[in-house]
Amino acid sequence: MLEFKTIETLKPNTEILEVIKDYTYKVKKGTVKNLICTNLQVIEPTEYLITYPTTLTILEYKVNEISNKPFNIEIKYIKFTDEFITKSSTEFIKYLYILLKNDTVGIKYLNGITEEELELKKKDYNVLSILKMTNNEYPSGFVDNFFAKAHSHFYVDGIIGSPYFEGNVSKDFLLLVPKKEVVKTN
């Protein structure tokens, strides 16, 4: 049997304690142990266990709060809340922009569409102009219907995001969703 001797008890990280101070938590101090008759050292890290509140949403909020700090935190499960699902169309556009920026599957990003290319794309795609949407130029229900279609195509055949150019000037950003219906298989 391997025998270890504790040679040092680690102190809790004050930055982490500051982040979780508003919660009920337990700290199990880490240790540095030496394997007897060798020079091998083993480090057991300090554990921080938040016991209340336990909702993932609050923990995710705190993780986002400290995301620029070098802590080793991994989220293994994300639950989409009703709040997330019922975000407004504008919030959804911001969400799509973040996905575009991070090259997430489901959105194909084009470097630009000209007026001629747009006319060709309109045969096969529904088009949403971010500028028109922002200025409330679409008829009632159009934007909601567009995003319902975008949702159904997102992980199947994808949607397209692209700046719209007139000449060499970027005039708008467009989202394109295929007009064809998504075929669902069982």
Side-chain angles (χ1 to χ4, degrees):
M1 178 100 171
L2 298 176
E3 292 184 44
F4 292 90
K5 177 182 177 187
T6 300
I7 56 175
E8 182 181 354
T9 301
L10 302 175
K11 296 177 183 174
N13 184 314
T14 55
E15 289 183 56
I16 294 177
L17 292 177
E18 181 64 28
V19 170
I20 64 175
K21 70 180 180 190
D22 296 332
Y23 302 101
T24 304
Y25 62 90
K26 294 178 184 174
V27 176
K28 180 183 173 192
K29 292 183 180 178
T31 57
V32 178
K33 295 181 179 182
N34 192 12
L35 182 59
I36 295 178
C37 298
T38 70
N39 62 354
L40 180 64
Q41 290 184 346
V42 177
I43 299 174
E44 290 180 342
T46 302
E47 294 178 15
Y48 305 88
L49 177 65
I50 297 174
T51 57
Y52 182 84
T54 58
T55 59
L56 185 60
T57 306
I58 293 172
L59 294 176
E60 287 175 341
Y61 174 77
K62 282 300 186 184
V63 168
N64 288 336
E65 213 175 77
I66 62 171
S67 64
N68 291 331
K69 296 181 181 177
F71 300 123
N72 187 11
I73 296 173
E74 179 181 350
I75 297 175
K76 294 184 179 184
Y77 176 75
I78 296 176
K79 179 180 178 184
F80 291 102
T81 63
D82 290 340
E83 178 188 18
F84 174 83
I85 294 168
T86 58
K87 288 282 188 193
S88 69
S89 298
T90 304
E91 290 298 314
F92 188 67
I93 290 290
K94 290 177 185 174
Y95 170 70
L96 289 177
Y97 174 75
I98 290 167
L99 291 177
L100 276 171
K101 198 165 87 175
N102 295 331
D103 196 26
T104 304
V105 175
I107 297 178
K108 299 167 188 133
Y109 181 76
L110 300 180
N111 287 334
I113 295 177
T114 64
E115 189 173 359
E116 297 82 22
E117 293 169 329
L118 179 59
E119 290 307 313
L120 291 173
K121 295 268 187 207
K122 283 183 177 179
K123 294 176 186 173
D124 298 320
Y125 292 90
N126 293 309
V127 179
L128 177 86
S129 158
I130 301 301
L131 188 62
K132 284 184 179 180
M133 187 188 75
T134 304
N135 294 332
N136 294 317
E137 295 178 26
Y138 285 113
S140 176
F142 175 85
V143 174
D144 292 335
N145 185 38
F146 181 88
F147 284 113
K149 286 182 180 180
H151 184 280
S152 66
H153 283 275
F154 193 75
Y155 288 109
V156 178
D157 51 1
I159 63 176
I160 296 174
S162 177
Y164 171 67
F165 287 96
E166 288 180 5
N168 289 333
V169 179
S170 176
K171 294 287 187 173
D172 199 356
F173 190 86
L174 305 176
L175 291 176
L176 292 83
V177 174
K179 286 184 177 179
K180 67 181 180 181
E181 292 296 319
V182 174
V183 178
K184 295 182 180 178
T185 59
N186 290 337

